[in-house]
Amino acid sequence: MSDNLVINNLRVNVAGGEILKGLSLSVKSGEIHALMGPNGCGKSTLANALMGHPNYNVDSGSVTLNEIDVLELGPDERAKLGLFLAFQYPTAIPGVTLANFLRMAVSAVRIVDGNDAATTSLVPMREFRKELRGKMEELGVDDSFARRYLNDGLSGGEKKRAEVLQLAMLEPKIAILDETDSGLDIDAIKVVGESVNQLVGPNLGVLIITHYPRLLNYIKPHFVHVILDGRIVESGGWELAERLEAEGYDAIREKHGVEFVQQTDPKLDAPIQI
Amino acid sequence: MTSGFTRESVAQISEFQNEPPWMLERRIQAFQIFEQLPLPKTNDESWRRTDIRGLNLEQFQLVTSNKSQTNGRYSELFSGVEEQENSGLIVQNDVSVIHSTLSDFLINKGVYFSGFKTALDERPDLLENYLCQTIQSTENKFNAMHNAFLQSGYVLYVPKGVVIDFPLRVIVSLSGESTADFSHTLIIADDESQVTILEEHLSVDQQGQGLHCGGVEIFLGRNAFVNYAQVQNWNKKVWNFSTQRAKLERGANLRWITTSLGSRLSKLDQLVEMNGEGSHADLLGLTATHARQHIDIHTYQKHAVSNSTSNLLYRNVLKDRSRTVWRGMIEVDKGAQKIDSYQQNDNLILSKRARADTIPGLEILADDVRCTHGATAGKIDQEQVFYLMSRGLSYNQAEQTIVNGFFESVLQRIPLEYLRNQLQKSIVGKLQLN
Ligand SMILES: Nc1ncnc2c1ncn2[C@@H]1O[C@H](COP(=O)(O)OP(=O)(O)OP(=O)(O)O)[C@@H](O)[C@H]1O
Ligand SMILES: [Mg+2]
């Protein structure tokens, strides 16, 4: 079955300030979308709002995954539904090992029969260990990683690898990668890029938020979107990323200018149908 | 036979137990002080944050005879742990010992491990020298009361050079309605000896109120190594007062784990004296409170000589309307140089109405010392909760995971894996986080 995340005309405020101003986008399984835009334009806001962060308030618009209203759900239910966010700044949880946490998380998203008791049953230890070891090997992550505390005392790059490891273990339907490439060294970008590529198959749709086309050399996006001031102003193919790299955001800013922000372009506001 | 806290009761206890005259004399002395002292009030600096006006001593009864209690629950915490060979176990219910064993192996090595009454019969020498040496009646009414009425608890003596590989276990339980318990822990670890003691305080039923007015004394000889874990798990109607002391001689090493889960109200006063060069104490604390529990712990690390070290870490998790108080003090005496001493207390507050007071203190009269103290109190971090929930954990699971992580820095310093695991389980159970 093909999964479909549809974001329609989403408006989000943070502490009263409107950040997303009518953003529309859809991501299907098998697709790779890249989302690019200058600092502070609302990329992480979109990611957090999609995952249900309590500080990001949705004023209007809709988000559905396979026609289920995502905005009605808590973050844990969204995860169980198949959404995943690799955070730009993963939060440290001291004293909790990555392995113990991941076993709980994997159990939570896999053992879904709805009742509360199920949330406390865990996938068998041996099975889990074997799977984790396999995935760590694929990602070129050191064995000791599993015993380290979650994002605590990890370098920037290590945190990003840990996010990708979680992505690989949790097997979501739609994954949002928020600047997973920043902080990674060149070799790591390659490893991460290749492993995300491996994960992308008919069963995973990906939204990659990035500033650098370098990652996109490894993960070739099918679609590239440019976000400015809280909404998507241009969408295109790979060539759009190349143009951005060459011209910067100024050309696009000029093109859409302030007037654009005021007017509504029904073509751009509608979900992009592919 | 039960009775109140009177001079007659003192005489009765002594007679019933056929005690040596010195013991009766000590009791009477303590009783006189008990009579004179008022219950501590909140204008007393060390009782400022702990109001015991709700305590009515007359509601509690002294048990002055053996009553048979056979259906006492054994252990909440270590139920899965079989009795080990080469080890020992004492189970006490109310004031009676209902089970007491020590392996022949340890008996042959000269280890002594018995309930208080038996010890008074068999080893009055040990008791005369050590018992209540460090618990001053004049300090407060509870100390005086303890010294006047104590008739239960246990004595452990580990002779010079004897190394005990398996933990000795003690269960002190309360089952009677309104029982007053004055159990005393007396541990004497002679030079070069090594021992681990796991002591658990629990209520057999969750309803009966009780009073525990206990004392702990640990004497470590030269290069002795003692691991002592006390898990306080009374029901929520028990008033818990305890004066706890340890004295370390040269090269001695103490690891003391204090876990406070139960009781209506607790007041713990812990003093550890580094009296010999090269002595070291690791003081660990885990406290988990809920409902309207109140737990007040004073710790005191006293460095009397040079080249001694101590490291204290107490962590508290609070729920509902519970309250904790931690007040710490590091004292370095004049002329005691090259001291490393640390104290740290952290509080994780899970609800709006819980309150944690944390008051570190230093009193340093020497100059070549390294002492640090730290104290934190904070609510659960919603970013952490969100991160965990975004991976599929429910709110409760996220909270539980964060609490486990918070206690981990204390637990990881506990060398016994099963103790670690059991403590973690019982904390989670106590806070009912899942
Ligand atoms: N939790 C928050 N509290 C207050 N303001 C916020 C919060 N999160 C985001 N903002 C504001 O919203 C705007 C968009 O921020 P956002 O993090 O979405 O940008 P971004 O596009 O991800 O930028 P970058 O490329 O730097 O990661 C910024 O002006 C930012 O200051
Ligand atoms: Mg961002």
Side-chain angles (χ1 to χ4, degrees):
Chain A
M1 191 192 90
S2 172
D3 299 299
N4 194 5
L5 176 73
V6 180
I7 305 158
N8 194 10
N9 207 10
L10 190 66
R11 288 177 182 269
V12 172
N13 80 74
V14 183
E18 188 172 54
I19 310 294
L20 296 187
K21 302 172 179 174
L23 184 143
S24 300
L25 180 68
S26 87
V27 180
K28 287 199 183 92
S29 39
E31 294 176 356
I32 303 175
H33 293 248
L35 181 63
M36 306 183 77
N39 294 131
C41 68
K43 302 183 298 295
S44 296
T45 300
L46 173 65
N48 279 300
L50 289 177
M51 211 61 232
H53 191 297
N55 292 353
Y56 295 77
N57 312 302
V58 175
D59 294 321
S60 63
S62 67
V63 179
T64 59
L65 177 55
N66 301 336
E67 272 146 36
I68 296 168
D69 183 358
V70 166
L71 299 176
E72 286 288 294
L73 306 175
D76 50 335
E77 296 165 306
R78 297 181 196 201
K80 288 177 186 173
L81 201 61
L83 265 185
F84 180 89
L85 169 58
F87 287 88
Q88 182 175 5
Y89 305 110
T91 308
I93 323 267
V96 177
T97 63
L98 180 64
N100 282 346
F101 156 68
L102 253 182
R103 184 160 171 235
M104 287 178 80
V106 164
S107 309
V109 300
R110 285 188 201 161
I111 309 171
V112 266
D113 38 24
N115 64 38
D116 257 6
T119 58
T120 54
S121 56
L122 291 171
V123 292
M125 186 57 117
R126 287 186 73 188
E127 222 172 87
F128 171 77
R129 280 218 179 116
K130 197 172 154 212
E131 190 183 339
L132 181 62
R133 215 171 286 135
K135 292 268 158 71
M136 288 184 10
E137 212 165 285
E138 275 172 40
L139 294 175
V141 172
D142 194 78
D143 255 7
S144 65
F145 228 68
R147 291 186 303 275
R148 299 201 43 194
Y149 295 149
L150 197 49
N151 302 322
D152 188 36
L154 263 58
S155 76
E158 287 171 334
K159 286 183 194 170
K160 298 302 173 76
R161 282 169 184 250
E163 294 289 289
V164 176
L165 177 61
Q166 293 179 50
L167 165 62
M169 290 294 291
L170 292 172
E171 297 171 336
K173 295 179 172 127
I174 305 289
I176 304 145
L177 307 182
D178 191 357
E179 299 199 23
T180 301
D181 52 340
S182 58
L184 290 180
D185 60 48
I186 298 168
D187 294 347
I189 289 184
K190 187 167 178 236
V191 174
V192 166
E194 282 168 354
S195 47
V196 171
N197 250 344
Q198 273 176 31
L199 296 172
V200 181
N203 297 323
L204 177 68
V206 187
L207 177 64
I208 298 173
I209 297 168
T210 183
H211 290 293
Y212 307 105
R214 195 191 294 141
L215 178 69
L216 305 180
N217 288 331
Y218 299 104
I219 315 173
K220 270 276 181 312
H222 304 106
F223 308 96
V224 175
H225 311 275
V226 178
I227 173 173
L228 273 186
D229 194 28
R231 67 177 92 188
I232 288 170
V233 295
E234 285 216 26
S235 296
W238 172 240
E239 75 291 342
L240 182 54
E242 285 176 326
R243 212 176 86 212
L244 281 175
E245 175 80 338
E247 300 172 8
Y249 291 112
D250 278 350
I252 293 181
R253 255 197 209 107
E254 245 162 65
K255 184 173 153 199
H256 296 284
V258 181
E259 317 88 76
F260 170 83
V261 176
Q262 309 301 342
Q263 79 188 31
T264 43
D265 182 338
K267 259 211 328 278
L268 281 169
D269 272 355
I272 295 159
Q273 295 301 330
I274 297 144
Chain B
M1 196 190 345
T2 58
S3 56
F5 306 113
T6 60
R7 199 188 160 111
E8 291 70 57
S9 304
V10 169
Q12 236 171 41
I13 294 174
S14 205
E15 196 183 341
F16 177 73
Q17 285 173 192
N18 209 2
E19 287 178 352
W22 58 262
M23 188 68 204
L24 178 60
E25 262 164 52
R26 288 188 191 183
R27 286 186 190 279
I28 289 170
Q29 250 176 27
F31 180 78
Q32 283 165 349
I33 299 169
F34 165 74
E35 262 192 328
Q36 283 159 21
L37 287 177
L39 278 172
K41 294 192 185 65
T42 49
N43 57 10
D44 219 321
E45 177 51 29
S46 55
W47 292 79
R48 204 151 76 82
R49 294 168 185 84
T50 296
D51 187 346
I52 53 166
R53 275 177 301 180
L55 171 68
N56 178 4
L57 289 181
E58 275 159 29
Q59 287 179 346
F60 299 96
Q61 283 155 357
L62 201 58
V63 182
T64 47
S65 65
N66 268 317
K67 59 176 187 147
S68 64
Q69 247 300 338
T70 45
N71 60 346
R73 200 148 41 118
Y74 237 42
S75 169
E76 216 161 60
L77 218 50
F78 308 114
S79 48
V81 179
E82 298 305 314
E83 216 185 305
Q84 281 150 330
E85 259 177 76
N86 299 335
S87 182
L89 170 67
I90 292 175
V91 182
Q92 176 186 308
N93 187 249
D94 294 335
V95 301
S96 311
V97 171
I98 55 175
H99 179 105
S100 177
T101 49
L102 182 66
S103 74
D104 289 343
F105 179 77
L106 294 178
I107 292 172
N108 291 336
K109 290 203 157 196
V111 175
Y112 187 78
F113 184 53
S114 265
F116 175 80
K117 287 177 195 170
T118 315
L120 201 52
D121 257 355
E122 295 177 350
R123 293 299 302 267
D125 57 317
L126 282 179
L127 293 177
E128 190 169 8
N129 285 336
Y130 289 98
L131 185 70
C132 297
Q133 189 199 91
T134 66
I135 298 179
Q136 305 306 324
S137 295
T138 48
E139 230 170 84
N140 65 51
K141 193 176 182 81
F142 294 108
N143 279 7
M145 196 180 192
H146 176 82
N147 292 346
F149 296 106
L150 88 100
Q151 51 174 334
S152 57
Y154 67 96
V155 177
L156 168 65
Y157 172 72
V158 188
K160 190 170 174 179
V162 171
V163 174
I164 303 179
D165 293 323
F166 297 102
L168 299 172
R169 294 175 48 216
V170 178
I171 292 153
V172 177
S173 62
L174 276 177
S175 67
E177 180 71 26
S178 305
T179 303
D181 169 60
F182 300 95
S183 292
H184 191 97
T185 294
L186 178 59
I187 297 167
I188 303 147
D190 214 331
D191 299 352
E192 325 282 338
S193 68
Q194 292 187 19
V195 63
T196 295
I197 307 102
L198 307 181
E199 182 180 325
E200 194 183 348
H201 293 185
L202 63 90
S203 298
V204 173
D205 80 272
Q206 294 310 307
Q207 289 315 312
Q209 65 167 343
L211 169 70
H212 172 78
C213 179
V216 173
E217 294 180 287
I218 309 173
F219 297 93
L220 290 89
R222 292 186 172 196
N223 300 318
F225 195 148
V226 172
N227 271 311
Y228 174 66
Q230 191 189 78
V231 182
Q232 183 271 101
N233 210 356
W234 304 124
N235 74 24
K236 268 172 247 64
K237 294 200 169 156
V238 171
W239 297 81
N240 183 59
F241 303 94
S242 189
T243 299
Q244 314 192 334
R245 306 280 182 250
K247 287 188 171 207
L248 284 72
E249 287 180 31
R250 176 182 300 202
N253 200 323
L254 170 66
R255 193 188 281 106
W256 187 338
I257 303 151
T258 302
T259 306
S260 303
L261 301 174
S263 82
R264 163 187 182 152
L265 177 144
S266 276
K267 183 88 167 75
L268 248 67
D269 182 25
Q270 185 186 68
L271 164 65
V272 177
E273 290 180 31
M274 271 54 69
N275 292 336
E277 293 209 8
S279 55
H280 173 76
D282 244 323
L283 307 171
L284 303 172
L286 298 156
T287 301
T289 55
H290 71 170
R292 285 174 160 250
Q293 284 183 292
H294 179 111
I295 292 186
D296 179 343
I297 300 178
H298 285 202
T299 61
Y300 205 113
Q301 295 149 265
K302 183 174 161 68
H303 292 269
V305 297
S306 298
N307 295 309
S308 54
T309 55
S310 65
N311 196 344
L312 177 143
L313 177 63
Y314 271 62
R315 286 201 152 183
N316 307 338
V317 171
L318 298 87
K319 239 184 99 167
D320 305 330
R321 299 184 68 170
S322 61
R323 185 169 174 195
T324 62
V325 179
W326 173 79
R327 209 172 93 175
M329 178 60 79
I330 294 175
E331 179 192 315
V332 178
D333 292 351
K334 210 167 168 182
Q337 306 294 4
K338 306 240 180 296
I339 303 292
D340 269 343
S341 185
Y342 306 100
Q343 55 175 193
Q344 175 78 34
N345 170 241
D346 301 300
N347 296 275
L348 180 60
I349 301 168
L350 301 182
S351 71
K352 280 200 185 77
R353 300 207 281 182
R355 173 172 163 188
D357 290 343
T358 171
I359 310 126
L362 299 175
E363 204 175 292
I364 313 247
L365 303 173
D367 42 36
D368 187 10
V369 298
R370 206 160 40 158
C371 293
T372 62
H373 57 161
T376 67
K379 297 209 163 10
I380 199 153
D381 181 349
Q382 291 306 315
E383 291 298 328
Q384 294 182 340
V385 173
F386 173 64
Y387 185 89
L388 297 173
M389 287 183 77
S390 79
R391 302 298 189 239
L393 275 60
S394 67
Y395 187 90
N396 283 345
Q397 285 179 311
E399 193 177 67
Q400 180 193 314
T401 302
I402 293 164
V403 167
N404 286 347
F406 179 76
F407 279 132
E408 178 61 24
S409 54
V410 181
L411 291 168
Q412 71 177 4
R413 284 164 62 179
I414 299 174
L416 302 156
E417 193 183 347
Y418 77 91
L419 174 61
R420 215 161 45 222
N421 293 341
Q422 293 304 319
L423 286 178
Q424 192 170 54
K425 263 189 217 150
S426 55
I427 288 163
V428 170
K430 207 81 206 171
L431 292 170
Q432 292 167 332
L433 292 172
N434 53 7

